[in-house]
Structure formats: structure tokens, C-alpha cells
């Protein structure tokens, strides 16, 4: 199968392929062979008889051939190309090139395969298609219809490293887009091939050495900076590139450091300025903070003088207490006899008081004993009452037991009589069987009801299906009778997926932001049927099936629905937000008439505006003219000079392709036959299809009526079955109720013996209770007797306790009388010693006061000391040092005075608005110190970098100046050879990234040297300058070969002739020979191998003897191997021995056996014609 993506062999390939016909739509045929492009698309190779010579399309089925020169006196430079062999590559079936070691001119008409040689060199040496600017995948370079292509390149060997020429072979497989490499017949890989090429200094990725056709524009757009880099890569040693990169890195680091250094320097100056502005404020704030700190420390010192004061007072109080104690002792010694008598009397009184207390305690003990006995008597009385109540309760229980015994005896007699009666019969299994029979009947009826309901549902489904079929048939009839319906039928026949998608869209338009339009087949119509063939010819199949969406959201939503939900594959959609105003016609209809055209294609087709805008964007309806007659030669010439590039007539459609990069004469035309319309044609209604649909509708109506009758009959049967089910359910419930009643009665009869045994057990238990009751009553009587005896003994004990209490009271009265006498005697003695006692009491009170004062002062001093210790422990060292250095004699009053003085100083200093200023000031001070250190480090680094730049620049710049000087000398010599002037220099900037090559040229005597750019010089002058610059590198280049593809296309004949002469001189050296001398040609041989394997040999014009006529033995040309690709040559150009001319000829007029062609005869015939 052909590739889905066509490689870009020419710029017009994309344009022409966009209008290529799909085989399903294009029925036109051609008697001539079709030309195949890279992706395998075929288009008719028809040349209009009205077109000028050279605009016809030729077959590209070129016979494999070998273009070879005989041995030159100059040998191949190591790494240059000795041989290139291709098989199934792009346009070639099999071909072999044998280029010479100097200038190789590859010539031939457009499309014959000249640039294919360039592609083969690039891909065969391991570089990718991105360096060609054509196809993106290597598989696209495989010839159409083949699965594998082969490139074999033989390079000249380096005698110091190789014993023979290295041979690189590259196999490209279409399937999988794979590439395999081999070196000298051994399997290898792409990296090894590229490494080998780089060892020869081959640089395919350098436009100064390898300039493919599609990269010419890219080279022309190369900036002077990029040109310097490419020039160094081409002609300078690797160390110069490394030095340049090193200088760039140095400069980048310098700029980075300078940027950071400047930022830090600015920040440092800013911070220092802010420090100077805030220094006075901060000083005042710090002084205020010092005072506040001192006040705080003085306030912390308040406990210290208080502790010293409390300690002094405690010593004074302690001394007073000691003195008072000594005075008390002296007074006590003086009054000792009197006091002794008082003391003796006090001791006697104390003894009497103790005796009184003892006798009071004895009375209290006797009273407690009597009370205990009295409580015991009351307790015994209460217990007797409880026993009497218990006896009464037992007697009441005995009465109830006797009544229960009588009742139980009656029940036992009745139960015995019932047991003697006969048990009734009960058939449980019969009842169960009758119930099950009813249930089975109910289940059968329910099953019949379910079956009938299912039958109704099936009938309903069939009825709905037939109704839908009737509606679809009616729509089908309506569609057959309408134009839109006919178009939808055509859509189904062309793309069933697109028809399904359009049917779904019509029913869901409300789900989109804006209306979605169907394909042009159903949305558009021809305004004038006279031009229907011309209009349909303009469209491809995909354009006719494209759905038009107006918003991006609708585009994404519709794509997800059609592909993911509906699983449709053949769907074309396009988002079209523009209108027809965005597609104006280039000319008015009146202006079209002078070209033989009647109007634009857009004028003869109608449809919704978004659909028409989509067709204009894709098929260019607004730029395609329509004619009723075929184009004449005069009209064709007029059209070539007009802005019209597309037009269609009744017989053919035309497309003009202009290659402006090759000049105004580079024009070709694609011509195709106008096809017969098939889409918008009007057809009569299909009567047979309509009759068949009507018959189907009648049959389906009859079937629906029969289905309705079946549903009604089923519903009647369901009603009858439901009534039967209700009757059977009622009968089943009645049988269940009757069975339950009989089962209950039988169960009660069977339980009588158990009830009798229970009654007899209860009777025996009650009789046992009566016997136990008598025993309990006897026990209660015995307990009452024992309580009576205990009460008598307790009464006797109570009488004895009362008598003992009376005796204790008498003893207490006697002791109390003795106590009264002792108190009287003591009072008499006390009155006599009252004054002495008062004196001693006062002295003792004084001593106690001193003791309390001493204790209080000691506690106060301890508390204050604890506070002082805590302060000295918790506070910082400087606070402790301040407190310890305070004057020891300072009092609390003096301390408070000093605190008030410092607070007064504090009030005199105004408080700042921002208390964080000091912290900010200190933090800024630290930042300033850090930045100063950082700035110093930056300066040191910058000095190191400057030293590195100076060292590397000292090595790189002189060599660069010498290199560019040589290039400038060669460039100036080349320009001088054509009567112009030029020089090359280096634009040196501070930034090594901006260093560039500066090319100055002068093409006229009256003007000065000016920079080469697109504003000052014409396209031809720029092309001349570019090729001369590339030629200036020839003698300096390190690469073994160079390739330039069609660089001469933009030159006028004069410049092209001068450039060619200079190129031959530079590339080949020696004396030049004119083209008119046939002997100037090296003999050329052609080896041809056809598709059937036939081989032949044909010698080009010239004999072996001619080789000695020009040049001398051992003559060497300058520079490396050179490939110049060009589709055209001027007559009478200058040639020299040593250059190689490779002529490529292909097309449908090539002979079956190309080996029989005598190129010398062709040259002679051409000269003869020129003479005439």
C-alpha cells in the first residue's frame, strides 16, 4: 500500500496532492503512463496541446543507469564519495553513480531524480531526513510499490587508517520504518556509521558543506552569527570551536556574576544609606533602652534593702527578748517562798478536781449500764409482738390451704370423669391433601396468567416494531419523492458511516452550541446545472463527506460521540468559524470574461454559509474559475500572467504551479480531465421501490390488527383465571380454619391426664403445707416462752443498776464539797501574791511579745531572702553583677529615689514610633557585613574569569582573524573575477555570542562596499554572493566533499555564467576550456540495468585520446570534492578537464534499452541544429 503521508519532493507536491482524485470518484482514464510521486499517488500524465513546450508531465519510471567518468589525474581525497549505488530508492529502480574527485555537475530536467542523489548521500551516511527538509520518515523514500530500498556509498580510504575504501550500506524497510546499516559487509549501526563519517570531517548537518534544495531558503535566512558558527565548523579545527564555546561560557558567567554583583552592590549602597539615616534615632532608642534596662534592674533590687532592714530589726528584737528573760528570772527568785505555798495549794486543788472528774465518769458509766438494760427490755417486748404476728399469718395461710385442698379435690374428680369419655376422630392428612390440591390449582392458574401477560408483551413488541417499520417506510416513500431524500440515499451508498452520523445529528441538534451541518452531498445543490460537471470535478471524496462544526467545543463533543459511542470510523469533520467574507474572489466576473471564463465556482453552488466557507477553505471555490469552452493558447498565456491559478472547463481542469524561488520562469501546470457528475444529478422516483414499500405497509397494518385481537382474547382469559384463583384461595382458607379448630380440641383432650397429674401433685403439696404449718406454729410458741423468761431476768438486772447509780451520786456530792474548800484556800493565798504575780505576768507577756516579733521578723527576712535568691538565679549575669555591686548601706528610700530619677530621664527621651527599628537596624547591619564579603568574592571571581577570557581569546582570536582573512581574500578574488568587489570580516562585539561574519559586497563601480542582506541586494546578487562565499571555503574546508543543490536558480544568465566559470576555476584549477570544444569533456560511460535485468554499455561523446589535450600530467585541482545540482545550463559555458558532468534523463520517451543511446551523436545533432 502507498504511504499515507507524501514526502515533500517539491513545494507544489502538497498543493497538487490536495486535489488528487480518489479512485472511487475519478472515472477519467488516460492512454499515457501515469507519473508516480513518492507516496504512490497516480495522476494522468496528459499535456495540453495548448501548453508551451516543457510543461508536459513525464513518467518518472526511470531506467537504472550508471553515470561514470574515466579516471582523472586527480585522486579522491580521503572521505570523498567514490561510488553511490541505489536500489528502489525514490524514483530509481537501480542506478550507480561514480562521481569524480573535483567538481561534479548533476544536471537534468525537474523531477528526474537529481535531488534524489542528495537524499541518498544524507540518509546513506547516517543522517536523518530532517536535514533534507522533505519527508519526515525514512520509509517514505522507498520507491512506490516496493517494500525495501538500498543505498550503498563507497568512500575514499585514508591510507593511514584503512587498507581499502570503506563501503557503507543502508537498507530502508517500509514496514516499521526501519533502517539497517552495514560497514564493509558487516552488520553495524547508525552511530558507528556517523562516527566513521565524522572521522573524515563529514558534516551533513552543516549548511556550509551540505546544502540540499529544500534548505536553500534556510541557508539564505541564516544570521551572521549562525554563519560564523557554520563557517568554523566547516573550515576551522575543533579546538577553535571549543575555544569559542569556552569564551561564550566565560562571557555568560561574567554577565551573570556582573548582574548579581551589581544587584548586591546596589543593595549594599541602599542598606548603608538607610543605616546612616537611622543611626541617630537608633542611638536615642538604645540610650532609652539602656535607661529602661537600668530602671528594670533597680526595681529588681528593691528586695535587697528590705532584706537588710528586716535582718537588722530581727537582731534588735532578739537582743530585747534576751534582756527581758534575764529580768524575769531575777523576779522569780525574789518571790519564790510565797509562790511555793500558792503552788502547793494549786496542786491540792488539782488532785480534788481529778477525783471529782473520776466520780462523774463512774456515774456516767452506771447510767449507760441502766440504759442498755432498759433498751434490752424494750427489744424483748418488740420481738414477742413479732412472734405473735407471725403466728397469726401462719394461721391465715392454713385456712387458705384448706380451701385450696377442697378445690383441688373437686377438679380431680371432674378430670377423671372426662378421661373416661371416648376421644373424637381427626383425619389431618386428608385436610392437608385437600389444601395442597387447592394450592396446586391456584399455582396452575397463576402460571397461565403469567404466560398470557408475557404473550401480551411479545405481541406489543411485535406491534411496536411493525409500527416503526410503517413510519420508516412512509419516510422512505417521502424521501424517494424529495430531492433531499435522494441525496441522503446517495450519501448512504457512498459512506454508510457518514449517513448514520448525519441521521444521529439531525435528531440531536439541540445538544450543540451552534447548528452542525451535514456533508455537502445533502446540504448543497448546483445553482446552474449547465456547470454541474465542472463543479463536481473540483471536489475530492473526503470534501463531499465532511461534516461542518462551528465551535471547537462542538467539534470535540461530536468527535467523541461518533467515534467512541457510535463506533463510526469513516468520518470527516472540520471546525469552520469563518464566513464567506473571509474568502474574497481575486477578480470580478467582468475581469474574468477576458480570460474566457464565465464566473467563479462559488457562484454555481449553493448551501449554508459555514459549509460554503469550508469548501472555499479546502477546494478554493472562490479562487477557481469556470469556463464553458476549453482554454485556448492565447487565453492560457493570459492566465499565466494573471492571479488565477485554478480553472475548470467542460473538458479539463487546470492548476498552475509557480516556484518563485527559481525565478518567474519556473512555472508548470497540472491538467486533469473533467469528470462526469454523479452526486447532484436529478433522477426519477424509483417506482418499484415505492410500490414495495406500500405493499409492506398494508401487510404490516393487517398484522397489527391481528395482534390487537390476540391481546384482547388474552386479557379476557386473564380475567377468568383471576376469578378462579380468588375462589380457590377462599376455599383453602376455610379448610385451614376448620383443621386448626379440630386440632385444638384434640390437643386439649390429649392433655387431660397431664392436667390430672398436675392437680394431684398440687393436692399433695397443699397437704404437706398443712403439716408443716402445725410444726411452725409450735416453734413460734416455744420462742415466745423463751422471750418471757429473758424479760424477767432483764428486769432484775435493771433494778440492780439503779441502786448502783444512786451510790455513785452520793460519792460525787462528797468530793465536790472538798473541791470547794480547796478553791477557797487558794483564793486567799492568791490575793496575797497578786502584785507579784502581775509583775511576773507582765514580764512573761513582754518576753512572749519579743518572741513573736523575733519570729515574725525572721519569717519576713527569709521570704525576702528567697525572693533575692530567685532574682539572682533567674536573671542574666549582667543583672546579677549590677545587683551585687549596689551599695550595701543603700536604704529602700534611697533606692526608690534613684528609680524615680531614672524614670524622669526616661521621660525626657521621646519614644520612637516603631519599636522594631533597632532590630531592623541590627539585622541590616548583619546583612551589610554579609554583602561586603559577598561583593569581595564576586570581584575575585570576575578577575579570575577575565583572566580566563584573556587567555582563551589570545589563542582563538588570532586564528579566527587569519582564517577569515583567507576566506576574505578568496571571496574578494572570486568577486573580482566577475568585475565586482567583496570582503569578509568578523564583527566583534563585547558578547562572544554576538560575534558574526560580516560580508561586504559591491556590484557596481559607483557604490561602496555594503553589507550583504535582503534589503540592499537583489535575489540574484545574493545568490552570487552566497555561492562565492561557499567557494571561498573550498580550499580551507576540512570536509572531503560539499553539496549544493540548485543554488543557481535565482541568477540571471550573466551572473550564472560568471559564477560557473569561477566555480570551475576554483574547484578544478588549471586552464579553462570552452564548452564548444567537445574534447573538453571527460569520456562518460553509462551502465544501464532494466527491470528485467538487461544490461548495456554506452560511451559518451569523446575518445580516450582527447583526454591529453587539456591540462598536464599530475595537475591538481584545489579544494575538496564538489557536487553542484542544477536543472538547467546555459549554452557555451566554460568547462575544464577534471570536472564531472552527470546527465540524468528519464521520462516516458526514454528508449526501452537506454544503453543503445549515443550521447555523442545527440551532441552533434544539437550543434548542427544550433548552427542552422
Amino acid at each position: 500500500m502507498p504511504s499515507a503521508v507524501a514526502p515533500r519532493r517539491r513545494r507544489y507536491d502538497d498543493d497538487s496532492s490536495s486535489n488528487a482524485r480518489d479512485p472511487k470518484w475519478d472515472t477519467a482514464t488516460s492512454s499515457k503512463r501515469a507519473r508516480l510521486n513518492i507516496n504512490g499517488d497516480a495522476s494522468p500524465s496528459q499535456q495540453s496541446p495548448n501548453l508551451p513546450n516543457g510543461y508536459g508531465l513525464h513518467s518518472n519510471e526511470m531506467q537504472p543507469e550508471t553515470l561514470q567518468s574515466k579516471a582523472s589525474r586527480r585522486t579522491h581525497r580521503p572521505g570523498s564519495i567514490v561510488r553511490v549505488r541505489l536500489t528502489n530508492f525514490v524514483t530509481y529502480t537501480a542506478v550507480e553513480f561514480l562521481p569524480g574527485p573535483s567538481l561534479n555537475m548533476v544536471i537534468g530536467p525537474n523531477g528526474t531524480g537529481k535531488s534524489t542523489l542528495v537524499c541518498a548521500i544524507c540518509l546513506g551516511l547516517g543522517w536523518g531526513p530532517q536535514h533534507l527538509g522533505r519527508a519526515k520518515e525514512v520509509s517514505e523514500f522507498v520507491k512506490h510499490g516496493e517494500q525495501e530500498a538500498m543505498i550503498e556509498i563507497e568512500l575514499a580510504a585514508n591510507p593511514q587508517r584503512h587498507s581499502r575504501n570503506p563501503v557503507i550500506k543502508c537498507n530502508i524497510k517500509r514496514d516499521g520504518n526501519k533502517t539497517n546499516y552495514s560497514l564493509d559487509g558487516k552488520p553495524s549501526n547508525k552511530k558507528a556509521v556517523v562516527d566513521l563519517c565524522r572521522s573524515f570531517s563529514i558534516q551533513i548537518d552543516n549548511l556550509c558543506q551540505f546544502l540540499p534544495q529544500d534548505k536553500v531558503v534556510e541557508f539564505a535566512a541564516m544570521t551572521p552569527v549562525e554563519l560564523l558558527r557554520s563557517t568554523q565548523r566547516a573550515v576551522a579545527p575543533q579546538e577553535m570551536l571549543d575555544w569559542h564555546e569556552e569564551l561564550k561560557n566565560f562571557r555568560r558567567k561574567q554577565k551573570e556574576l556582573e548582574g548579581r554583583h551589581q544587584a548586591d552592590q546596589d543593595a549594599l549602597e541602599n542598606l548603608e544609606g538607610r543605616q546612616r539615616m537611622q543611626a541617630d534615632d537608633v542611638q536615642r532608642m538604645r540610650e532609652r533602652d539602656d535607661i529602661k534596662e537600668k530602671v528594670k534592674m533597680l526595681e529588681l533590687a528593691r528586695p535587697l534593702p528590705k532584706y537588710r532592714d528586716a535582718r537588722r530589726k530581727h537582731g534588735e528584737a532578739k537582743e530585747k527578748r534576751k534582756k527581758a528573760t534575764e529580768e524575769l528570772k531575777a523576779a522569780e527568785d525574789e518571790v519564790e517562798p510565797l509562790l511555793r505555798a500558792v503552788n502547793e495549794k494549786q496542786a491540792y486543788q488539782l488532785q480534788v478536781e481529778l477525783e471529782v472528774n473520776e466520780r462523774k465518769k463512774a456515774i456516767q458509766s452506771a447510767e449507760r449500764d441502766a440504759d442498755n438494760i432498759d433498751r434490752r427490755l424494750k427489744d424483748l417486748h418488740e420481738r414477742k409482738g413479732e412472734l405473735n404476728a407471725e403466728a397469726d399469718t401462719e394461721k391465715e395461710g392454713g385456712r387458705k390451704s384448706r380451701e385450696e385442698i377442697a378445690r383441688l379435690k373437686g377438679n380431680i374428680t371432674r378430670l377423671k370423669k372426662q378421661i373416661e369419655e371416648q376421644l373424637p376422630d381427626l383425619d389431618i392428612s386428608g385436610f392437608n391433601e385437600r389444601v395442597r390440591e387447592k394450592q396446586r390449582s391456584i399455582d396452575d392458574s397463576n402460571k397461565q396468567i403469567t404466560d398470557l401477560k408475557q404473550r401480551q408483551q411479545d405481541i406489543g413488541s411485535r406491534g411496536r416494531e411493525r409500527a416503526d417499520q410503517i413510519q420508516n417506510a412512509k419516510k422512505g416513500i417521502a424521501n424517494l419523492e424529495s430531492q433531499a431524500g435522494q441525496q441522503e440515499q446517495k450519501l448512504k451508498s457512498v459512506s454508510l458511516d457518514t449517513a448514520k452520523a448525519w441521521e444521529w445529528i439531525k435528531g440531536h441538534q439541540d445538544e450543540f452550541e451552534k447548528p452542525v451541518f451535514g456533508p455537502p452531498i445533502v446540504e448543497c445543490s448546483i445553482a446552474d446545472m449547465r456547470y454541474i460537471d465542472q463543479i463536481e470535478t473540483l471536489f475530492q471524496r473526503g470534501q463531499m463527506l465532511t461534516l461542518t462544526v462551528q465551535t471547537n467545543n462542538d467539534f470535540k463533543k461530536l468527535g467523541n460521540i461518533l467515534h467512541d459511542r457510535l463506533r463510526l470510523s469513516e468520518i470527516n469533520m472540520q471546525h469552520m468559524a469563518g464566513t464567506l467574507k473571509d474568502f474574497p474572489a481575486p477578480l470580478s466576473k467582468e475581469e474574468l470574461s477576458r480570460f474566457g471564463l464565465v464566473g467563479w465556482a462559488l457562484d454555481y453552488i449553493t448551501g449554508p454559509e459555514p459549509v460554503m466557507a469550508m469548501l472555499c477553505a479546502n477546494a478554493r471555490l472562490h479562487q477557481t474559475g469556470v469556463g464553458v469552452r476549453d482554454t485556448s493558447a492565447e487565453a492560457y498565456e493570459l492566465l499565466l500572467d494573471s492571479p488565477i491559478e485554478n480553472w475548470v472547463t467542460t473538458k479539463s481542469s487546470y492548476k498552475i504551479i509557480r516556484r518563485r524561488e527559481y525565478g518567474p520562469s519556473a512555472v508548470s501546470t497540472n491538467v486533469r480531465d473533467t469528470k462526469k457528475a454523479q452526486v447532484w444529478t436529478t433522477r426519477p422516483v424509483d417506482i418499484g421501490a415505492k410500490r414495495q414499500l406500500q405493499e409492506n405497509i398494508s401487510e404490516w397494518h393487517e398484522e397489527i390488527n391481528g395482534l390487537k385481537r390476540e391481546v384482547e382474547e388474552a386479557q379476557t382469559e386473564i380475567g377468568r383465571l383471576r376469578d378462579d384463583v380468588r375462589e380457590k384461595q377462599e376455599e383453602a382458607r376455610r379448610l385451614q380454619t376448620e383443621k386448626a379448630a379440630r386440632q385444638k380440641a384434640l390437643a386439649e383432650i390429649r392433655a387431660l391426664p397431664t392436667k390430672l397429674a398436675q392437680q394431684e401433685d398440687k393436692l399433695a403439696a397443699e397437704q404437706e403445707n398443712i403439716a408443716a404449718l402445725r410444726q411452725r406454729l409450735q416453734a413460734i410458741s416455744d420462742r415466745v416462752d423463751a422471750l418471757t423468761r429473758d424479760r424477767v431476768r432483764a428486769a432484775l438486772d435493771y433494778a440492780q443498776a439503779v441502786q448502783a447509780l444512786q451510790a455513785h451520786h452520793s460519792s460525787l456530792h462528797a468530793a465536790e464539797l472538798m473541791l470547794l474548800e480547796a478553791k477557797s484556800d487558794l483564793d486567799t493565798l492568791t490575793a496575797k501574791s497578786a502584785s507579784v504575780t502581775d509583775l511576773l505576768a507582765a514580764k512573761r507577756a513582754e518576753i512572749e511579745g519579743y518572741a513573736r516579733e523575733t519570729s515574725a521578723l525572721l519569717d519576713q527576712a527569709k521570704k525576702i531572702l528567697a525572693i533575692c535568691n530567685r532574682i539572682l538565679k533567674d536573671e542574666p549575669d549582667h543583672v546579677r553583677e549590677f545587683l551585687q555591686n549596689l551599695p550595701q548601706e543603700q536604704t529602700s528610700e534611697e533606692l526608690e529615689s534613684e528609680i524615680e530619677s531614672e524614670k524622669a530621664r526616661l521621660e525626657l527621651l521621646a519614644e520612637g514610633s516603631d519599636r522594631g527599628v533597632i532590630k531592623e537596624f541590627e539585622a541590616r547591619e548583619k546583612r551589610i557585613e554579609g554583602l561586603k564579603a559577598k561583593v569581595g568574592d564576586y570581584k575575585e571571581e570576575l578577575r579570575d574569569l577575565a583572566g580566563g577570557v584573556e587567555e582563551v581569546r589570545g589563542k582563538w582570536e588570532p586564528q579566527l582573524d587569519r582564517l577569515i582573512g583567507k576566506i576574505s581574500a578568496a571571496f574578494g578574488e572570486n568577486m573580482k573575477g566577475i568585475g565586482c568587489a567583496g570582503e569578509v570580516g568578523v564583527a566583534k562585539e563585547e558578547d562572544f555570542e554576538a560575534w558574526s561574519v560580516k560580508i561586504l559586497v559591491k556590484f557596481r563601480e559607483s557604490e561602496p562596499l555594503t553589507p550583504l542582506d535582503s534589503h540592499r541586494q537583489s535575489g540574484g546578487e545574493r545568490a552570487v554572493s552566497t555561492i562565492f562565499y561557499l567557494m571561498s571555503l573550498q580550499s580551507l574546508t576540512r570536509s572531503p566533499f560539499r553539496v549544493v543543490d540548485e543554488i543557481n536558480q535565482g541568477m540571471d544568465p550573466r551572473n550564472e555564467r560568471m559564477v560557473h566559470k569561477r566555480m570551475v576555476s576554483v574547484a578544478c584549477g588549471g586552464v579553462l576550456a570552452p564548452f564548444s570544444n567537445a574534447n573538453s569533456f571527460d569520456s562518460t560511460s553509462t551502465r544501464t540495468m532494466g527491470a528485467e535485468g538487461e544490461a548495456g554499455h554506452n560511451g559518451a561523446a569523446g575518445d580516450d585520446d582527447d583526454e591529453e589535450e587539456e591540462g598536464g600530467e599530475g595537475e591538481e585541482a584545489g579544494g575538496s570534492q564538489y557536487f553542484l545540482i542544477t536543472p538547467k545550463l546555459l549554452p557555451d559555458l566554460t568547462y575544464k578537464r577534471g570536472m564531472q558532468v552527470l546527465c540524468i534523463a528519464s521520462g516516458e520517451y526514454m528508449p526501452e534499452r537506454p544503453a543503445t543511446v549515443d550521447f555523442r551523436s545527440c551532441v552533434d545533432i544539437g550543434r548542427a541544429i544550433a548552427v542552422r
Side-chain angles (χ1 to χ4, degrees), residues 891-918:
T891 63
S892 297
E893 291 76 11
E894 292 173 345
L895 179 62
E896 292 297 331
S897 177
E898 185 175 359
I899 291 173
E900 292 300 325
S901 176
E902 294 297 332
K903 286 184 177 179
R905 287 182 60 200
L906 186 63
E907 291 177 356
L908 293 177
L909 296 174
E911 184 175 5
S913 59
D914 186 1
R915 299 307 303 164
V917 171
I918 295 179

Side-chain angles (χ1 to χ4, degrees), residues 590-611:
E590 292 74 13
E591 292 173 321
L592 278 178
S593 60
R594 69 188 186 91
F595 300 107
L597 303 176
V598 297
W600 299 106
L602 183 61
D603 302 331
Y604 302 109
I605 183 171
T606 60
E609 184 173 2
V611 179

Side-chain angles (χ1 to χ4, degrees), residues 11-12 15 638-647 655-669:
R11 292 186 178 178
Y12 57 80
D15 297 335
L638 290 175
L639 287 167
L640 285 180
D641 297 329
S642 73
I644 304 173
E645 295 183 350
N646 304 281
W647 70 92
K655 179 178 180 62
I656 296 177
I657 301 168
R658 295 182 174 90
R659 300 193 63 182
R660 292 179 175 82
E661 68 272 20
Y662 293 157
S665 61
V667 178
S668 62
T669 304

Side-chain angles (χ1 to χ4, degrees), residues 1053-1120:
R1054 174 181 175 275
N1055 287 335
E1056 183 177 355
R1057 190 178 302 281
M1058 290 188 296
V1059 167
H1060 179 270
K1061 179 178 179 181
R1062 188 62 188 165
M1063 184 184 300
V1064 171
S1065 175
V1066 171
C1068 299
V1071 182
L1072 298 177
F1075 179 81
S1076 58
N1077 184 355
N1079 295 332
S1080 64
F1081 282 100
D1082 285 344
S1083 64
T1084 302
S1085 63
T1086 302
R1087 177 181 176 145
T1088 305
M1089 181 174 291
E1092 296 80 9
E1094 298 180 2
H1097 184 82
N1098 179 32
D1103 299 325
D1104 292 345
D1105 298 336
D1106 296 334
E1107 298 178 5
E1108 303 298 331
E1109 294 185 9
E1110 296 294 338
E1113 189 71 26
E1115 178 183 300
E1116 292 290 340
S1120 61

